[in-house]
Amino acid sequence: MATIKDVAKLAGVGLGTASRVINNSGYVSEVTKKKVLKAIEQLGYVPNETARAFVTQDSKIVALFLPSIHHPFFSELAFYIEDELNKNGYNMIICNSSGQIEKELNYINMLKQNKVSGIIGITYNSIENEINNSMPIVLVDRHMGENIPYVSSDNYAGGQLAFQVLKDTGCMNVAYIGTFSKTIITEVEKRRKGFEDAAKQNGTQCTLYIEEDPIKDETAFLNSFLKIFKDINGVFVENDVMALKLVQLALELNINIPEQLSIIGYDGIETYSALRPRLSTIRQPIERMGRSLVELVIKRINGVPVEPAIHSVVFLQGDTTIS
């Protein structure tokens, strides 16, 4: 395999000159540049991307860490992130953190060592002390300092919209099912706030049924809700995965949906669109979010100031979950 030394020798130039041509850095005369490019073509030389990174300070690799690639929302988001990175000449590596802060810190250290160009992160850990405003990091649904950009759907408006849909179906005793954290605040919590505020403004009774994240036994958690709150006829669930599980558990208890209980989720995961009954859900603009994350992280890599990207939500009407 040809090396940069072979290229320099064939072109009759020094290593530094050959390096400047290959990395497109520094002045080289057009005559000399043509000699080097001709030598590259003749030898079939392929630049070593790792070595090039030390010169350009850009490895052309972006790390994506997320709680789990198995979660359909995260996997759909990752699809669009990888696609947009590829269009911009970047590669992606995925870290399934499983909520482990040690894994996330490992990737942050890789960024500090220039092993990756930037990071897109979905984290529910306290990593504020490990990052600074100059790092090319962009987060999802997490506001962490004034100068760390993040991308989010309009979760508050989504919560309000969920209440309006339930209200329009005649639900007068509604509930929110979800999680909370004692240590961090994420944009996701605005779903509950929007729903609760809309219910209060309408004079509708609203029950909050929440448990600290992560829920130890989600099935038991949801079963308890169905057995305890039998008078509730409309439910907004924090995400589609939990909402679909609630639908299944309700059917197993012979609760008629939507006649006795209307359920609406949040995310609008494309994978679930073919299921029947089709879940009514507040659909996040997942593709726009993924491509915006890439746009922001590349700007950060290049030192361009950016602002948080907040996107609106779109309601995806289901079939039979909402009456």
Side-chain angles (χ1 to χ4, degrees):
M1 182 180 291
T3 67
I4 190 173
K5 289 183 179 180
D6 298 325
V7 171
K9 182 178 180 181
L10 181 59
V13 300
L15 280 175
T17 301
S19 176
R20 286 195 295 275
V21 174
I22 291 168
N23 293 293
N24 195 28
S25 62
Y27 173 76
V28 179
S29 71
E30 285 300 317
V31 173
T32 302
K33 183 182 293 185
K34 288 179 180 178
K35 289 181 180 179
V36 175
L37 293 175
K38 184 177 180 180
I40 290 172
E41 183 179 358
Q42 289 179 349
L43 294 169
Y45 171 73
V46 178
N48 183 310
E49 293 298 332
T50 302
R52 177 180 285 187
F54 285 105
V55 177
T56 64
Q57 295 298 300
D58 187 353
S59 65
K60 293 293 181 180
I61 297 173
V62 170
L64 169 66
F65 58 72
L66 39 75
S68 172
I69 196 65
H70 291 303
H71 193 291
F73 172 77
F74 297 144
S75 60
E76 189 173 337
L77 184 66
F79 172 86
Y80 291 116
I81 290 172
E82 190 280 334
D83 183 65
E84 190 66 19
L85 283 170
N86 181 261
K87 289 179 180 178
N88 285 274
Y90 283 80
N91 294 312
M92 181 180 81
I93 54 175
I94 291 181
C95 168
N96 284 285
S97 70
S98 300
Q100 299 176 34
I101 190 172
E102 294 81 9
K103 285 189 174 183
E104 296 174 0
L105 294 181
N106 180 53
Y107 278 76
I108 292 172
N109 286 330
M110 288 178 66
L111 177 62
K112 292 176 180 178
Q113 297 167 21
N114 290 324
K115 292 181 180 179
V116 296
S117 304
I119 287 176
I120 296 173
I122 303 172
T123 176
Y124 303 111
N125 290 310
S126 298
I127 60 171
E128 291 90 339
N129 294 332
E130 302 299 327
I131 62 178
N132 60 59
N133 295 338
S134 65
M135 290 181 178
I137 293 178
V138 180
L139 302 174
V140 181
D141 279 334
R142 182 82 182 274
H143 189 195
M144 191 181 294
E146 293 300 321
N147 297 307
I148 304 297
Y150 65 95
V151 169
S152 174
S153 65
D154 192 338
N155 290 277
Y156 185 84
Q160 291 182 309
L161 182 55
F163 171 78
Q164 187 62 46
V165 173
L166 291 175
K167 174 179 175 291
D168 290 345
T169 65
C171 299
M172 295 305 296
N173 193 358
V174 300
Y176 173 88
I177 297 179
T179 60
F180 71 94
S181 171
K182 292 180 179 178
T183 57
I184 65 171
I185 297 176
T186 71
E187 291 292 305
V188 175
E189 294 189 11
K190 292 182 179 179
R191 298 173 192 175
R192 180 181 75 228
K193 182 63 174 172
F195 186 78
E196 187 179 13
D197 286 352
K200 287 180 179 178
Q201 291 167 10
N202 189 70
T204 301
Q205 181 177 343
C206 177
T207 298
L208 299 181
Y209 187 72
I210 56 178
E211 184 170 304
E212 187 172 7
D213 190 33
I215 297 175
K216 296 181 178 64
D217 188 336
E218 194 170 276
T219 298
F221 171 68
L222 296 174
N223 260 324
S224 294
F225 170 82
L226 293 170
K227 293 175 180 178
I228 296 172
F229 299 99
K230 296 181 180 180
D231 57 333
I232 287 175
N233 58 4
V235 180
F236 174 39
V237 188
E238 181 179 86
N239 59 65
D240 284 352
V241 175
M242 197 185 302
L244 284 168
K245 184 173 287 188
L246 182 66
V247 170
Q248 184 60 42
L249 293 173
L251 293 175
E252 291 174 2
L253 292 172
N254 295 316
I255 297 173
N256 293 322
I257 296 175
E259 291 79 12
Q260 292 176 272
L261 182 64
S262 292
I263 300 172
I264 186 167
Y266 195 104
D267 280 335
I269 299 168
E270 187 64 30
T271 307
Y272 293 160
S273 62
L275 297 180
R276 296 296 182 269
R278 186 157 59 107
L279 179 72
S280 291
T281 179
I282 305 300
R283 177 165 174 79
Q284 299 197 70
I286 303 176
E287 180 175 356
R288 286 180 57 205
M289 290 172 67
R291 299 192 190 283
S292 294
L293 284 162
V294 173
E295 179 185 354
L296 292 178
V297 79
I298 291 177
K299 284 183 177 180
R300 293 279 288 179
I301 290 169
N302 294 322
V304 179
V306 297
E307 298 292 335
I310 306 295
H311 296 291
S312 60
V313 292
V314 178
F315 175 61
L316 177 64
Q317 178 68 53
D319 290 333
T320 59
T321 307
I322 299 294
S323 59

